[in-house]
Amino acid sequence: MNKLYIGNVSAEATEEDFETLFEQWKIPHSGPFLIKNGYAFVDCPDEKAAMRAIDILSGKAELHGKVLEVEHSVPKRLRSCKLQIRNIPPHMQWEVLDGMLAQYGAVESCEQDFTETDVSFIVFRAMEKLNGSMMENYALKVSYIPDETAAPEGPSVGGRRGFNTRGPPRSGSPSLGARPKTQSEVPLRLLVPTQFVGAIIGKEGATIRNITKQTHSKIDIHRKENAGAAEKPITIHSTPEGCSNACRTIMEIMQKEALDTKFTEEIPLKILAHNNFVGRLIGKEGRNLKKIEVDTGTKITISPLQDLTMYNPERTVTVKGTLDACAKAEEEMMKKLRESYDSDMAAMNLQSNLIPGLNLNALGLFPSGAPGMGPSMSSLPPPGAHGGCSSFGVSVYTQQGHPESETVHLFIPALAVGAIIGKQGQHIKQLSHFAGASIKIAPAEGMDAKQRMVIIIGPPEAQFKAQCRIFGKLKEENFFGPKEEVKLEAHIKVPSCAAGRVIGKGGKTVNELQNLTCAEVVVPRDQTPDENDQVIVKISGHFFACQLAQRKIQEILAQVRRQQQPKPAPGAQPPLPRRK
């Protein structure tokens, strides 16, 4: 996009004036200057020249007593309400920028984008007047971001580049180091009968546009999913209040359509909830769900685990009752689901700093598309396609280039075995398929055994996924208290000759390992090596601590293996293939 818009142009300005100005600053242009009443256009030969003109002239160059405003020219059909602000002082706090933006209009939302050279913000509904303004000796650079999906929202105010503001100014100003927190991370997902989809959309989309506008939400009706299915999913992105208002409106439309078409069957509210959060929605012995039923006067049922697949990790929560009762139940349930999501993400963000560069999105903890509640997991990368494991340490590869398989013995409460296996073994089969690992439960060592051993065999990434899901399952099923961290013990076997390397001189290595990972690492000294001349290393701690300890120990073992490989003699050459 190399066409420039030049604003705040004096009525006295001529084409020759602009020619002289661009020549003075050695800015090339590939066409004549098109001068209008108060503004002008010009084409640049490439993006580099366009950006040079914006950087040099906008807010700085003066022509006939007016300071010019230069930016990319955006066609009307592509204009959005998004602005990018660059050249922000690196140490600047969000409160300062927030106060500055408030002078020009309400900021609807803000996203922080770290790049190699800039700290950028995408600001919605802010005014263009910020361009060139000074902040602590930094000249802010503001430009519009084209958005082909942006729909026109009526006439603008304040001239060519003004926009109507929507909603009250945003409150709450977190520091620059974090994105301003919103409560719209978890969208509301509904299932509606296919015969009502047309009524929800309305003639030429008028109804759905009206719902979107009134509730300040983004609504996706997935009509093409599950062709021929009796129900279609709907995803609503908004604040909790916006999601609830949109949900109520959709229920009202379905009730009205049912009356008009003489549809006599009951139309329950159906919410799709990711299985990772359903255990906490239900609560221990079903207490959470029972309380919601009593408080709202509804009947709530949840689809069985057997309905889950790798590509459908959501369970259907069916709510029956009056429209008001269902709407109230939706608010209470989504509040619990959002709390679960926030809790999980906070815990993961807190611990992930132990493993720099960890790609949380690729772990399958939440499906792709929308955090926490997306429709599928089909876009998960294949094993080895992301950097999640390489950031823990060194992975060992076979001659074919595949990560070498590892065996880990993970000990879980004996009472949790049923939850891990699932009805008719469905859960452990799905877990094994998802992680790409062999997962088996070893027989109990005695009638009163309080722990059972889970044998996990697979490469590093498979180990990570399998163990992560097992830790999460134990938390979901309330085998640990709501404020209690899940801590398990894992055993890995190492060659007896490498045990000393894991311990280090005077226990130095194992102590450093424990300080680094926050896990307890023990190499019992009185062990007798097994038939494979291996001994056990015991690792105890929370999930990320266990994972980091496992990877660091595997790194030590990889170093030992490399050192044990015979070195070729000086000048020796590999044997030549024998001729036939």
Side-chain angles (χ1 to χ4, degrees), residues 96-114:
V96 178
L97 182 62
D98 196 19
M100 189 173 185
L101 294 174
Q103 303 174 44
Y104 305 108
V107 180
E108 183 176 283
S109 62
C110 172
E111 295 175 8
Q112 186 175 344
D113 172 32
F114 289 98

Side-chain angles (χ1 to χ4, degrees), residues 248 251-252 255 296 298 321-331:
R248 173 184 279 273
M251 286 193 293
E252 290 171 349
Q255 296 280 9
T296 62
T298 56
T322 63
L323 192 148
D324 289 339
C326 289
K328 181 64 176 175
E330 177 273 327
E331 292 178 14

Side-chain angles (χ1 to χ4, degrees), residues 4 26 139 148 150 154 196 253-254 390 401 412 472 476 507 541 555 561:
L4 294 179
K26 295 182 173 57
E148 295 189 13
F196 297 136
I253 291 170
M254 290 194 296
S390 61
I412 64 172
E476 285 177 25
E555 183 177 346
R561 281 190 285 266

Side-chain angles (χ1 to χ4, degrees), residues 265-285:
E265 296 180 19
E266 184 180 7
I267 308 172
L269 170 64
K270 291 189 177 183
I271 297 174
L272 295 173
H274 193 275
N275 187 53
N276 283 2
F277 310 135
V278 169
R280 282 163 284 182
L281 173 63
I282 295 171
K284 194 169 185 178
E285 298 177 354

Side-chain angles (χ1 to χ4, degrees), residues 2 62 94 158 341 480 489 549 570:
N2 306 325
E62 186 173 320
W94 166 250
Y341 172 80
F480 292 80
E489 182 174 310

Side-chain angles (χ1 to χ4, degrees), residues 237 305 405:
H237 300 266
L305 277 168
S405 185

Side-chain angles (χ1 to χ4, degrees), residues 139-379:
L140 299 181
K141 299 177 182 179
V142 184
S143 58
Y144 281 87
I145 299 175
D147 183 1
E148 295 189 13
T149 62
E153 297 201 13
S156 61
V157 295
R160 178 181 181 270
R161 301 293 189 183
F163 293 96
N164 291 318
T165 59
R166 181 179 70 179
R170 197 173 41 79
S171 61
S173 300
S175 67
L176 179 61
R179 175 182 172 180
K181 184 177 180 182
T182 65
Q183 291 181 297
S184 57
E185 293 292 342
V186 181
L188 172 60
R189 298 256 297 158
L190 305 177
L191 263 186
V192 302
T194 301
Q195 64 262 42
F196 297 136
V197 168
I200 294 169
I201 296 173
K203 189 176 182 180
E204 298 179 352
T207 305
I208 195 70
R209 280 199 303 271
N210 190 42
I211 299 173
T212 299
K213 185 176 179 180
Q214 289 181 351
T215 62
H216 304 300
S217 59
K218 180 180 182 293
I219 303 175
D220 296 319
I221 300 178
H222 307 282
R223 287 175 288 176
K224 295 183 180 179
E225 287 189 17
N226 305 325
E231 295 173 312
K232 297 292 183 182
I234 293 178
T235 305
I236 304 171
H237 300 266
S238 186
T239 61
E241 182 182 0
C243 286
S244 296
N245 291 339
C247 176
R248 173 184 279 273
T249 304
I250 288 171
M251 286 193 293
E252 290 171 349
I253 291 170
M254 290 194 296
Q255 296 280 9
K256 183 178 183 302
E257 183 68 10
L259 288 174
D260 294 344
T261 58
K262 298 181 180 179
F263 184 82
T264 56
E265 296 180 19
E266 184 180 7
I267 308 172
L269 170 64
K270 291 189 177 183
I271 297 174
L272 295 173
H274 193 275
N275 187 53
N276 283 2
F277 310 135
V278 169
R280 282 163 284 182
L281 173 63
I282 295 171
K284 194 169 185 178
E285 298 177 354
R287 292 172 188 167
N288 291 348
L289 208 59
K290 189 66 179 176
K291 184 177 187 304
I292 295 174
E293 286 182 319
V294 171
D295 291 347
T296 62
T298 56
K299 175 64 177 175
I300 303 174
T301 56
I302 298 178
S303 61
L305 277 168
Q306 294 91 303
D307 293 350
L308 295 177
T309 67
M310 268 297 298
Y311 302 101
N312 177 30
E314 294 172 308
R315 294 169 73 176
T316 304
V317 182
T318 303
V319 185
K320 293 184 177 181
T322 63
L323 192 148
D324 289 339
C326 289
K328 181 64 176 175
E330 177 273 327
E331 292 178 14
E332 295 297 321
M333 288 190 296
M334 287 304 298
K335 180 181 178 183
K336 179 63 68 175
L337 293 175
R338 290 185 183 100
E339 287 174 355
S340 300
Y341 172 80
D342 290 342
S343 174
D344 285 1
M345 292 307 295
M348 291 183 68
N349 289 332
L350 182 65
Q351 303 298 345
S352 63
N353 60 359
L354 294 173
I355 308 174
L358 177 63
N359 184 355
L360 298 179
N361 292 330
L363 301 181
L365 303 177
F366 307 109
S368 58
M373 299 286 284
S376 74
M377 294 166 64
S378 58
S379 62

